[in-house]
Amino acid sequence: MEGSNGEALSSVIDRNSATILQATPATWRLLLDKGRIRGSGFKALVGGEAMPIKLADRLIDEGIELWNMYGPTESTVWSTCARITETTNGITIGRPIANTLVRVLDASNNLCPIGIPGELFIGGDGVALGYWNRPELTAERFLPDIYGQDKNSVLYRTGDIACWRNDGNLDYLGRLDSQVKLRGFRIELGEIESTLETHPNVGQTVVVITRDSAGEDRLVAFYIQKVGKTSSSDLREFLKEKLPDYMVPQHFVELEEFPLTPNGKIDRRQLQDSKYYMPNLRSKHVAPVTELEKKISEIWQTILNLEQIGVNDTFFELGGNSLSSANLIGKINDVFNLKLPLAVIFNEGTVSKLAQLIEKAKSPDLAGKETVKEIDLGEVIKLIG
């Protein structure tokens, strides 16, 4: 979506004296960032995707009457809604609208009690009859309502996770298919996104799992900078304090805006394409010059399965992890007849710095040692200065 569309949409609203607009979170953010919007007397209906807390706070601060709308196309668009006046306790998707019922069921199709997450099922007059000429998919997604009084009543299984609040409202907790398994750990992508968005300099975030040409899965966090300038290493350390290591993305990519689908939702499939993250991860490319740098770069290429490595590229920002870093140090020790500890890749994470360290490790300054394999990491780093 072009940056000028925010201004164009604002003009349409003004020309028609509109007092209500239904749009996705991405469109509302566009209006706030690049357009203009009247506050008092204007009603915002937000739907299509989960509403971020920061966006809700901005709309409320503008004096806009804010409504959160939830519902898939299969239930004729909206199934629940809620007026949002503050976000202290998160953002609810509200209660079912008229002639609509909602059930939260566990994996055994038992009703979930208050506070227990389960899959969200929708019934009522708005539910479709099924998919056109797709009987198998219809049978999979449209199921009999075993709790209904009408034996012909049907529930649509949304694939969304939700739970009931004490006050009768619903909390949306993400997608079942956003729970991914990475290196044996089950990960909720939405949890990473919501945690990263608590960083004061970060606006919106999207976390996806991608697979490189070697078949290795990687977590990639895309974000839009809110204020200031935050480095990938800062964001990585921020998440390490709040999440287990296996939930910390390998890549952090800053974007000016997210790619959108024709209906205004964030296009996660495009973000999974490496063209959206690999170019953004590289510092200004500086090719290896010395034979040592070239040899180290070749080792990195093999370990990371990348075609080109610059001397200032950072190992972990290019997709390195604890396993690949161990492989890297093992290979370097074999090639250069050293016994460097794993910690060097955390302290000297670029080809350039690693080349300096290896050069110093083999320098006459350390001739007093019986063998370079006995060199202490701290001593080498002191020599590098």
Side-chain angles (χ1 to χ4, degrees):
M1 192 175 287
E2 297 296 330
S4 61
N5 282 2
E7 297 177 4
L9 184 54
S10 293
S11 297
V12 172
I13 293 171
D14 289 343
R15 281 200 311 271
N16 293 277
S17 300
T19 58
I20 183 171
L21 175 66
Q22 172 187 310
T24 63
T27 303
W28 283 110
R29 188 174 286 104
L30 190 71
L31 272 170
L32 290 170
D33 291 344
K34 299 182 178 179
R36 60 190 181 281
I37 190 165
R38 290 195 311 253
S40 180
F42 198 87
K43 184 180 294 185
L45 308 184
V46 183
E49 291 180 303
M51 189 196 310
I53 286 179
K54 288 185 178 180
L55 175 61
D57 287 337
R58 290 180 68 186
L59 289 166
I60 293 170
D61 289 344
E62 291 288 337
I64 292 169
E65 182 181 323
L66 178 60
W67 287 79
N68 193 24
M69 318 296 289
Y70 167 82
T73 303
E74 290 85 349
S75 65
T76 322
V77 187
W78 304 133
S79 301
T80 71
C81 67
R83 170 82 185 273
I84 308 298
T85 57
E86 55 87 29
T87 61
T88 306
N89 297 314
I91 299 177
T92 177
I93 58 173
R95 304 166 184 256
I97 62 174
N99 302 314
T100 300
L101 67 89
V102 168
R103 304 200 192 281
V104 180
L105 306 179
D106 64 18
S108 301
N109 286 333
N110 297 312
L111 293 169
C112 291
I114 292 170
I116 302 300
E119 185 173 0
L120 191 61
F121 289 73
I122 300 173
D125 293 347
V127 176
L129 298 177
Y131 297 105
W132 179 252
N133 289 334
R134 301 282 304 274
E136 285 137 3
L137 184 59
T138 296
E140 177 187 336
R141 306 303 294 185
F142 294 84
L143 306 175
D145 181 10
I146 60 175
Y147 296 99
Q149 295 181 350
D150 183 353
K151 65 179 182 179
N152 295 318
S153 62
V154 172
L155 294 175
Y156 170 69
R157 67 179 315 160
T158 65
D160 291 328
I161 306 170
C163 72
W164 292 106
R165 291 185 175 187
N166 287 323
D167 60 6
N169 287 302
L170 283 161
D171 278 338
Y172 172 82
L173 303 176
R175 292 282 303 167
L176 281 172
D177 53 19
S178 73
Q179 290 185 339
V180 298
K181 209 164 187 181
L182 183 65
R183 294 187 287 277
F185 294 100
R186 187 164 296 282
I187 295 172
E188 172 58 61
L189 298 179
E191 184 179 354
I192 304 173
E193 292 171 353
S194 59
T195 303
L196 187 54
E197 286 179 1
T198 63
H199 191 287
N201 292 352
V202 172
Q204 189 179 11
T205 66
V206 175
V207 177
V208 300
I209 190 166
T210 67
R211 180 163 292 179
D212 63 21
S213 56
E216 182 182 353
D217 288 332
R218 301 178 178 186
L219 278 176
V220 184
F222 296 90
Y223 66 98
I224 295 175
Q225 196 91 251
K226 183 181 177 184
V227 293
K229 193 69 178 174
T230 305
S231 68
S232 296
S233 58
D234 289 339
L235 296 179
R236 184 174 287 106
E237 290 304 313
F238 177 79
L239 286 185
K240 278 184 175 180
E241 294 177 359
K242 300 176 181 297
L243 298 173
D245 286 345
Y246 62 83
M247 291 182 69
V248 177
Q250 292 163 282
H251 305 301
F252 292 83
V253 182
E254 181 185 354
L255 297 178
E256 290 187 5
E257 56 187 22
F258 293 117
L260 302 178
T261 63
N263 62 358
K265 296 183 180 181
I266 294 172
D267 194 335
R268 290 175 179 264
R269 288 188 179 181
Q270 280 199 55
L271 290 176
Q272 290 176 313
D273 191 326
S274 62
K275 74 177 183 179
Y276 269 97
Y277 66 91
M278 288 311 298
N280 292 286
L281 294 172
R282 303 297 183 86
S283 53
K284 185 176 181 181
H285 183 72
V286 179
V289 176
T290 68
E291 288 304 313
L292 181 55
E293 288 177 345
K294 289 177 182 177
K295 188 61 182 176
I296 295 171
S297 179
E298 289 172 6
I299 296 173
W300 281 38
Q301 288 172 352
T302 302
I303 298 293
L304 295 174
N305 195 40
L306 295 175
E307 294 181 2
Q308 188 183 63
I309 302 289
V311 294
N312 296 322
D313 290 333
T314 303
F315 183 75
F316 289 103
E317 291 185 0
L318 292 182
N321 54 43
S322 56
L323 180 61
S324 57
S325 61
N327 292 337
L328 174 67
I329 292 302
K331 184 69 173 176
I332 285 175
N333 284 335
D334 288 343
V335 170
F336 297 105
N337 190 32
L338 295 170
K339 196 173 182 181
L340 297 173
L342 181 61
V344 299
I345 197 59
F346 293 92
N347 292 281
E348 313 301 316
T350 67
V351 170
S352 175
K353 289 182 178 180
L354 202 51
Q356 293 177 51
L357 189 148
I358 293 172
E359 218 166 67
K360 290 292 184 181
K362 289 182 169 290
S363 74
D365 294 329
L366 296 171
K369 295 288 184 181
E370 294 180 6
T371 167
V372 289
K373 292 183 180 181
E374 297 176 3
I375 294 171
D376 178 77
L377 171 64
E379 186 173 351
V380 175
I381 292 177
K382 285 179 185 177
L383 285 169
I384 294 175

